[in-house]
Amino acid sequence: MEVIYTLLGACVLVGLLASAWGVLGWVWFKPKKLEKLLKRQGLKGNPYRILSGDMKELVKMRIDALSKPMSLSDNIAPRLIPYFVHLADKYGKNCYVWMGPTPMVFIRDPELVKEILNKHDLFQKPRNNPLARKLVGGLASYEKEQWAKHRRLINPAFYSEKLKLMQPAFLQSCSEMLSKWEGIVNGKGSSSCEVDVWPDLQDLTCDVISRTAFGSSYEEGKRIFELLKEQAMHFMVAVRQVYIPGWRFVPTKRNRRMSAIYKEVKSSIRVIVEKRMMAMQAGETTNNHDLLGILLESNLQEIRQQGNKEFGMSIDQIIDECILFYFAGQETTSAMLVWTMVLLSRHQDWQARARDEVLQVFGDKKPDFEGLNDLKVVTMILYESLRLYTPVAGLVRKTTEETKLGEMVLPPGVLLSLPILMMDLDTEIWGEDAKEFKPERFREGIMKATNGKQAFFPFSGGPRICIGQNFALVEAKMAMAMVLQHFSFELSPSYAHAPCTRMITQPQHGAPLIMHRL
């Protein structure tokens, strides 16, 4: 018996030693090895500090930057990503940052960015933090064959002819927002008053995605949006901390809340999906012009053609795609609209040019799908707004094996940052006026503005370019056209310029504007 206990003790000791060695390798030996390899490639960065890396300084500089509003400037990089700007100033463009024990290399050469985005099987999205799946999954989280299958099944929902059928939903949502603003102005007994347009633009895009995704209004999906906003806040706090494998299983207050939100959102959307599926199976006439109807029809057609339901998507996968519709379909467009209105408030000449174009194309009639293509000035303004106030400051990819990229040979396990915001403000790409609002740079389109380089990618790029890009641009053009038809606007004296990042680039203190009814 004594021998058995001795053996058991020895086994436990060996297990503990092995675990300790594994942890030591993760927090010290592997990072130091990666550091040596990166320096051989001519890359520069701070010396690795055990476990935390550069995270403490990164978080501190961000908190300091957001502690007060900035001057009325469009150079927002020092406020949104101050530590990254600091590193670039210190080490140059070829540098890296320690995200805990993992190095992240900045890639700012447009040719290398193009290679990374095109070779999406080789440079994949990082999966270090499983908490991301509790925020959004679906198409955005898949790789290789699974991504290709889902992309093929979802594509039909975003064809031009399908977007055209969604025009009534866009118009109705925009009309309701404008009626609200007119009511506020009339209530003041004058032709103008202050309106914080940011919450209303969020409501607008929520309403649009609710109607176009499920045929319902924002009020019916309001609870889902509120939950996803809260989930995004919890996620942003989590990703700014050093990720510890297995930590998501620890029953902390945040982990429990994120799990509860995930379950409630999935349950709410499951009810909508199953109700629609039952109606389709019963042969009832349903709305197949919304995203859910198109997705279910596409999925059913795939199963029929292949003769096996394994070739389609499961209910859980359809639910994940619906959550992605809800979240991604609202966030980017509301951000694009609010910064466009802020920019046009500051540049009245461009606001006047955009309004003249809208009135020339549509007069006082409601915009139609075909006419949106004639809004050249509005399109230039939207692109410039996306450049200066990109919804997402950067994309991140990860090497899964030893990989040659340009002159570098990168080891597996290295993060690659494609810093959209830093590239959007790069004078070597855009010229000395890179930090200025000049929509005319897009007069002849994106390719001409970037000299054919992969230097403008607010919706990502390559095969994995955002599937909802055209949806977002159609919605934004229609909303701006209707706003310009009914109002002129300028910054309120109470406006504080304070861009911040909460998943997307948004105004920290809202966007109060003086709205003048026309």
Side-chain angles (χ1 to χ4, degrees):
M1 185 66 71
E2 196 172 316
V3 174
I4 294 174
Y5 284 136
T6 301
L7 288 172
L8 285 173
C11 289
V12 170
L13 180 60
V14 169
L16 290 173
L17 287 172
S19 298
W21 186 257
V23 171
L24 194 58
W26 174 58
V27 302
W28 184 253
F29 292 126
K30 183 179 178 182
K32 292 301 289 183
K33 180 182 178 181
L34 289 173
E35 182 178 30
K36 188 180 295 185
L37 291 169
L38 292 177
K39 287 187 179 298
R40 284 180 190 166
Q41 305 300 316
L43 297 166
K44 298 177 181 179
N46 289 332
Y48 172 65
R49 281 162 286 188
I50 191 164
L51 193 59
S52 64
D54 291 317
M55 293 294 284
K56 289 180 182 178
E57 291 83 355
L58 188 153
V59 171
K60 182 180 184 304
M61 286 188 71
R62 183 181 182 277
I63 292 172
D64 290 345
L66 297 180
S67 63
K68 57 184 178 181
M70 64 180 285
S71 61
L72 201 57
S73 160
D74 297 319
N75 182 19
I76 65 173
R79 179 180 171 85
L80 262 59
I81 47 173
Y83 194 70
F84 295 169
V85 173
H86 163 73
L87 283 181
D89 289 342
K90 183 178 180 180
Y91 295 115
K93 289 186 176 182
N94 297 322
C95 64
Y96 58 87
V97 59
W98 288 101
M99 306 299 288
T102 306
M104 183 167 74
V105 179
F106 292 97
I107 306 297
R108 295 173 62 178
D109 182 330
E111 288 303 311
L112 299 185
V113 167
K114 181 179 180 180
E115 184 176 349
I116 291 170
L117 293 175
N118 282 328
K119 297 180 178 178
H120 60 96
D121 282 350
L122 190 59
F123 301 99
Q124 299 182 7
K125 294 185 178 184
R127 297 288 175 265
N128 284 356
N129 198 326
L131 290 176
R133 291 292 184 93
K134 292 186 177 180
L135 180 60
V136 289
L139 190 66
S141 65
Y142 297 139
E143 298 291 349
K144 299 186 177 181
E145 291 83 6
Q146 191 174 25
W147 169 82
K149 168 184 157 182
H150 279 242
R151 180 87 179 201
R152 187 180 69 254
L153 293 174
I154 297 169
N155 262 335
F158 294 94
Y159 291 160
S160 291
E161 61 267 25
K162 298 297 184 183
L163 292 179
K164 186 176 180 179
L165 294 173
M166 297 175 191
Q167 178 180 315
F170 292 145
L171 288 171
Q172 185 175 350
S173 297
C174 291
S175 296
E176 289 177 2
M177 181 184 72
L178 293 173
S179 295
K180 179 182 177 180
W181 289 353
E182 288 172 347
I184 294 172
V185 172
N186 292 336
K188 296 294 183 180
S190 68
S191 60
S192 62
C193 72
E194 179 181 290
V195 177
D196 183 357
V197 300
W198 172 232
D200 291 331
L201 291 172
Q202 288 179 293
D203 286 353
L204 164 69
T205 53
C206 287
D207 194 61
V208 167
I209 201 65
S210 286
R211 294 182 198 276
T212 55
F214 306 114
S216 61
S217 69
Y218 170 52
E219 288 302 320
E220 292 174 326
K222 194 170 185 178
R223 175 63 179 165
I224 295 173
F225 281 115
E226 289 172 348
L227 289 169
L228 287 175
K229 277 186 184 180
E230 183 186 346
Q231 193 80 315
M233 289 174 60
H234 291 310
F235 176 72
M236 290 303 292
V237 172
V239 296
R240 292 191 183 112
Q241 300 170 345
V242 176
Y243 173 67
I244 300 173
W247 184 253
R248 72 187 188 281
F249 298 115
V250 178
T252 63
K253 184 178 180 180
R254 178 174 294 110
N255 286 349
R256 292 199 308 272
R257 180 58 184 154
M258 289 188 76
S259 294
I261 291 173
Y262 181 63
K263 289 177 182 176
E264 185 174 345
V265 169
K266 288 203 74 168
S267 176
S268 298
I269 294 182
R270 184 181 293 275
V271 171
I272 298 172
V273 172
E274 290 184 341
K275 182 179 178 181
R276 182 71 65 87
M277 289 178 69
M278 288 174 63
M280 289 176 67
Q281 290 169 1
E284 296 177 20
T285 302
T286 59
N287 179 13
N288 288 329
H289 299 326
D290 60 27
L291 293 172
L292 177 58
I294 297 167
L295 178 58
L296 290 175
E297 189 62 42
S298 176
N299 193 47
L300 188 60
Q301 187 175 347
E302 178 77 5
I303 292 171
R304 285 171 179 163
Q305 287 178 350
Q306 302 295 336
N308 189 330
K309 67 179 182 181
E310 295 298 323
F311 285 92
M313 287 185 279
S314 67
I315 290 181
D316 278 332
Q317 289 174 334
I318 291 172
I319 291 169
D320 282 342
E321 298 299 350
C322 290
I323 293 174
L324 184 59
F325 284 156
Y326 250 112
F327 186 77
Q330 181 268 331
E331 291 283 333
T332 302
T333 313
S334 60
M336 183 181 2
L337 287 170
V338 74
W339 294 120
T340 299
M341 290 193 70
V342 167
L343 285 164
L344 291 182
S345 294
R346 293 165 50 202
H347 300 275
Q348 292 289 321
D349 55 335
W350 279 100
Q351 184 182 149
R353 286 180 62 179
R355 182 176 295 105
D356 288 345
E357 179 183 68
V358 169
L359 294 176
Q360 183 178 353
V361 174
F362 299 117
D364 58 358
K365 296 179 182 177
K366 289 184 177 180
D368 56 70
F369 189 80
E370 288 77 10
L372 295 178
N373 293 324
D374 296 326
L375 298 181
K376 308 302 182 185
V377 173
V378 171
T379 300
M380 287 157 49
I381 290 169
L382 288 173
Y383 284 157
E384 184 72 340
S385 174
L386 284 170
R387 186 184 71 85
L388 292 171
Y389 295 85
T390 177
V392 180
L395 304 176
V396 179
R397 296 295 184 262
K398 187 175 184 178
T399 56
T400 56
E401 57 188 64
E402 185 174 274
T403 308
K404 191 173 190 307
L405 180 65
E407 299 300 316
M408 298 181 290
V409 178
L410 299 170
V414 172
L415 295 175
L416 303 175
S417 169
L418 313 184
I420 297 174
L421 182 55
M422 295 176 80
M423 292 181 68
D424 283 345
L425 301 175
D426 193 330
T427 54
E428 291 183 15
I429 295 173
W430 300 96
E432 292 303 315
D433 59 2
K435 298 179 178 65
E436 299 174 25
F437 177 72
K438 292 198 169 181
E440 63 265 29
R441 71 178 83 244
F442 289 102
R443 184 183 292 112
E444 297 180 60
I446 293 172
M447 294 304 290
K448 183 71 173 179
T450 60
N451 293 316
K453 298 176 181 177
Q454 182 77 64
F456 182 69
F457 48 105
F459 295 96
S460 188
R464 293 197 71 142
I465 192 168
C466 176
I467 197 170
Q469 174 182 229
N470 290 336
F471 180 99
L473 288 172
V474 166
E475 180 184 354
K477 287 180 188 179
M478 188 162 290
M480 283 310 307
M482 294 182 72
V483 169
L484 290 165
Q485 283 177 320
H486 293 82
F487 291 93
S488 64
F489 42 93
E490 60 185 306
L491 290 183
S492 166
S494 64
Y495 174 78
H497 195 49
C500 70
T501 301
R502 295 191 183 106
M503 294 302 291
I504 49 100
T505 304
Q506 59 184 263
Q508 186 177 356
H509 305 301
L513 306 181
I514 304 298
M515 305 297 293
H516 303 278
R517 182 161 43 83
L518 298 176

